[in-house]
Amino acid sequence: VAMDQIRGFRFLGQAETCRVLLLMTLVVAFILGLQYFELTPISTGTLGNGTVSGFIESNNITKGDENEMFLAPQEATSEFRPGNSTTEVLKSYEHKFLNNSPKAYGQSSGNESASSHHPLQPKIPHSNKKHERSTKKPPLVVISITQMNQMIVKRHSDPNNSLTPRWESNVDRELKDARNKIKNAALVKKDNTLYAPLYHNLSIFKRSYELMEQTLKVYVYSDGDKPIFHQPEAIMEGVYASEGWFMKLMESSHRFLTKDPTKAHLFYLAFSSRILQQKLYVRDSHSRRNLVKYLRDYIDLIAPAETRGPYMNCIRSLCNADVGVDFVVGKDVSLPETKISTAQNPNGNIGGNRPSKRTILAFFAGNMHGYVRPILLNHWSSSSEPDMKIFNRINHKSYIRFMKQSRFCVCAKGYEVNSPRVVESVLYGCVPVIISDNFVPPFLEVLDWESFAVFVPEKEIPNLRKILISIPLRRYVEMHKRVLKVQKHFMWHDGEPVRYDMFHMILHSVWYNRVFQTF
């Protein structure tokens, strides 16, 4: 009997061993299967953009996640939609700042909750690979202008993104009152200054702008005895001139500045990435760590305690407005990139030929920066089509002459998504053709860019001419008219700024995004 029991236990032991081995085999197979079928991760960016300034809101509490997108096809929503031929479906994804991560500051997140995530939000596989800049390869996800507009509407209507504090101040009540007045703006049928077809909603824009003039107060932080940033005169010319011009005009404004922080709707942290690079970058070091450290120390030093920590909650004004990296549509502001030759004449010799005298279909000239421009030249620089003038770098005089003679001016991205060609095209009366995936154009919250510009996906470069010649002459003439009408929004004025000029439009973008995050 004892022998039978021993044999029985051995049999049971062997059976259990087989079950355990089978279970372990299944687990290993499952893990290998997950690794094999894992999707390519969507990378996030770092604080490497041309940041001009940060506007810290009067309250620093945020409840929602940034850049939430839904599964949606690209759709045309305006009468004029030339050249937007892509019909790709954008996969849902959630974009998070690398520098907004609590780990970056050694603290736990105090404002994230499960309720802030949309129920349809998919999980994104994480990767330990170092983020690669978009200058080397196309973005994994392309977001259309139509979808960016939807993102603005969603963010500005979602109470989870409210910046209203638990205990309201007079400033918060003023912002909430402004929001209600803007949403209930009286219908503007005609305006002698503003051309209605340029805007998503002229009535909303006009009322918001008027309330900004009447209400907005900005407190500017000082920079110490030996300022690094508060030197706008150092960058009033060149490609980064927008940084200097806005800083100069903001700090000399009598209408908007206040010395009483309790009355401020915004707090202006004036810093320039260009000045930071000029002062602190070590030549040939290929490292910006000391720049990032200085900037963080600078903000922690001058900003009050309630604004410290993940300062990416502030409204940032960025030249490199790339929604695929770390630009938050509906919160951050796209800064126009302007190349100024002389501070005495910031807008240059604006104007150009009338439509009937513009004999060149499309023009581009520039250095071979990034991955897009070599593709553009490879397809079109040696083209047999005489109306396609696509060159490498040419002299400035010829550059302006071609712009004034061309119907369409190609604004192809270089190292970053933005380019001074966008503003140059507008000032020279040339319809911009923007080839820069995920670029957020300036003043998108009010301007209907697709009514006066053409957006061509990077993958459609081989079809560029086909897209442009498919635009009827009547439609091109109307787009040209709108380019001329929108010029006022892209001009600097020395001395006293002019209503609706570039300074006021940048400030309005900050004001508008701040107001519509107040519930």
Side-chain angles (χ1 to χ4, degrees):
V1 175
M3 292 297 294
D4 290 340
Q5 290 179 343
I6 292 172
R7 289 174 183 174
F9 287 134
R10 285 178 178 175
F11 176 79
L12 290 175
Q14 291 174 355
E16 290 299 325
T17 302
C18 291
R19 289 174 187 169
V20 172
L21 290 174
L22 178 60
L23 181 60
M24 291 176 63
T25 303
L26 291 175
V27 170
V28 172
F30 178 73
I31 293 173
L32 291 175
L34 286 179
Q35 292 177 345
Y36 180 81
F37 291 106
E38 183 178 5
L39 297 175
T40 303
I42 298 175
S43 58
T44 56
T46 59
L47 184 64
N49 302 315
T51 305
V52 171
S53 56
F55 285 88
I56 293 183
E57 300 95 342
S58 55
N59 181 286
N60 202 34
I61 300 175
T62 57
K63 301 178 182 178
D65 291 313
E66 315 297 355
N67 281 16
E68 294 179 321
M69 283 300 297
F70 296 90
L71 196 65
Q74 294 184 359
E75 298 176 354
T77 57
S78 178
E79 178 184 358
F80 291 91
R81 292 293 182 270
N84 300 305
S85 60
T86 180
T87 57
E88 292 183 346
V89 175
L90 174 68
K91 292 183 178 180
S92 302
Y93 79 103
E94 180 184 13
H95 180 77
K96 298 289 287 181
F97 287 135
L98 177 64
N99 286 328
N100 201 24
S101 170
K103 295 180 180 179
Y105 296 89
Q107 60 186 35
S108 60
S109 174
N111 58 2
E112 291 185 358
S113 63
S115 61
S116 66
H117 295 275
H118 194 274
L120 297 180
Q121 202 71 15
K123 293 183 179 180
I124 300 172
H126 295 285
S127 173
N128 293 325
K129 293 181 179 179
K130 188 176 181 180
H131 168 69
E132 294 182 9
R133 291 175 57 180
S134 60
T135 58
K136 298 180 181 179
K137 59 183 180 179
L140 297 175
V141 177
V142 178
I143 302 175
S144 71
I145 296 298
T146 300
Q147 291 163 329
M148 292 180 193
N149 284 320
Q150 294 170 352
M151 293 167 70
I152 293 175
V153 173
K154 178 184 180 299
R155 183 175 183 87
H156 288 177
S157 59
D158 187 355
N160 285 330
N161 293 317
S162 176
L163 297 170
T164 304
R166 185 176 300 176
W167 295 280
E168 290 185 344
S169 65
N170 290 333
V171 167
D172 298 305
R173 285 187 285 271
E174 290 172 354
L175 289 169
K176 186 178 293 186
D177 182 59
R179 174 189 171 91
N180 293 332
K181 288 179 179 178
I182 294 170
K183 291 180 65 176
N184 297 289
L187 179 64
V188 177
K189 295 183 178 180
K190 186 179 180 181
D191 189 271
N192 295 328
T193 304
L194 304 174
Y195 187 56
L198 287 174
Y199 310 95
H200 296 302
N201 188 315
L202 175 61
S203 304
I204 293 290
F205 170 57
K206 187 174 177 63
R207 186 64 176 130
S208 176
Y209 190 93
E210 292 171 348
L211 288 169
M212 177 189 75
E213 290 183 316
Q214 298 168 12
T215 309
L216 178 61
K217 294 298 178 184
V218 179
Y219 180 86
V220 179
Y221 287 108
S222 59
D223 200 7
D225 295 334
K226 295 182 178 180
I228 286 184
F229 294 127
H230 291 249
Q231 301 181 71
E233 64 280 354
I235 47 172
M236 299 293 287
E237 297 177 354
V239 177
Y240 303 96
S242 291
E243 299 184 357
W245 279 86
F246 182 82
M247 190 185 303
K248 174 188 175 184
L249 296 174
M250 183 75 257
E251 294 186 339
S252 62
S253 173
H254 299 291
R255 179 192 292 271
F256 298 111
L257 288 188
T258 179
K259 294 185 178 181
D260 185 354
T262 64
K263 295 181 180 179
H265 305 90
L266 295 166
F267 296 82
Y268 180 39
L269 296 175
F271 62 83
S272 161
S273 60
R274 181 58 175 169
I275 291 179
L276 193 64
Q277 186 175 12
Q278 290 175 343
K279 297 288 185 179
L280 300 179
Y281 178 70
V282 179
R283 184 181 293 275
D284 299 325
S285 67
H286 306 292
S287 174
R288 293 183 174 86
R289 291 181 181 178
N290 61 323
L291 279 68
V292 174
K293 183 181 184 302
Y294 183 91
L295 183 57
R296 285 180 175 170
D297 293 344
Y298 165 75
I299 291 177
D300 287 341
L301 176 65
I302 68 172
E306 61 269 18
T307 65
R308 294 177 186 173
Y311 58 85
M312 300 295 267
N313 285 336
C314 71
I315 298 175
R316 300 172 303 153
S317 184
L318 305 175
C319 280
N320 183 37
D322 188 342
V323 73
V325 180
D326 66 353
F327 185 92
V328 182
V329 178
K331 179 182 78 70
D332 294 331
V333 171
S334 177
L335 186 78
E337 191 171 321
T338 55
K339 184 178 181 180
I340 296 178
S341 299
T342 171
Q344 286 69 39
N345 184 22
N347 303 309
N349 186 19
I350 65 173
N353 296 352
R354 60 180 183 269
S356 62
K357 295 295 183 180
R358 290 181 177 265
T359 56
I360 300 171
L361 177 64
F363 163 69
F364 172 84
N367 292 324
M368 293 297 99
H369 296 159
Y371 65 87
V372 170
R373 296 180 185 180
I375 297 174
L376 178 67
L377 262 72
N378 182 54
H379 278 91
W380 296 108
S381 63
S382 57
S383 171
S384 59
E385 304 294 346
D387 55 0
M388 297 289 289
K389 304 296 184 183
I390 309 298
F391 308 112
N392 205 317
R393 186 173 182 177
I394 61 177
N395 65 73
H396 187 63
K397 188 174 181 179
S398 299
Y399 179 85
I400 295 176
R401 176 171 54 84
F402 275 116
M403 273 202 161
K404 292 187 175 186
Q405 294 176 352
S406 301
R407 290 187 177 183
F408 299 98
C409 289
V410 178
C411 308
K413 68 181 292 184
Y415 290 132
E416 306 292 358
V417 292
N418 205 349
S419 167
R421 287 166 185 78
V422 177
V423 174
E424 289 173 338
S425 299
V426 170
L427 295 182
Y428 294 130
C430 189
V431 175
V433 178
I434 299 175
I435 307 179
S436 181
D437 291 348
N438 293 340
F439 169 55
V440 183
F443 322 137
L444 181 62
E445 65 280 345
V446 294
L447 288 182
D448 182 8
W449 272 84
E450 291 177 297
S451 72
F452 62 89
V454 181
F455 290 83
V456 176
E458 294 170 9
K459 68 174 186 177
E460 297 291 341
I461 288 177
N463 300 318
L464 177 59
R465 188 174 186 277
K466 184 186 299 184
I467 292 172
L468 297 181
I469 63 176
S470 68
I471 300 174
L473 178 61
R474 182 173 61 87
R475 178 175 292 182
Y476 160 71
V477 172
E478 174 62 21
M479 294 181 74
H480 177 266
K481 176 182 178 181
R482 296 182 184 191
V483 166
L484 299 182
K485 294 287 187 181
V486 84
Q487 283 179 343
K488 65 169 64 70
H489 297 321
F490 293 92
M491 298 175 67
W492 294 110
H493 294 90
D494 197 8
E496 191 68 23
V498 177
R499 292 192 80 198
Y500 303 116
D501 69 355
M502 185 120 59
F503 167 75
H504 285 105
M505 290 297 290
I506 295 170
L507 191 59
H508 177 266
S509 290
V510 180
W511 155 261
Y512 191 86
N513 285 350
R514 178 64 185 95
V515 165
F516 275 90
Q517 292 182 85
T518 305
F519 290 81

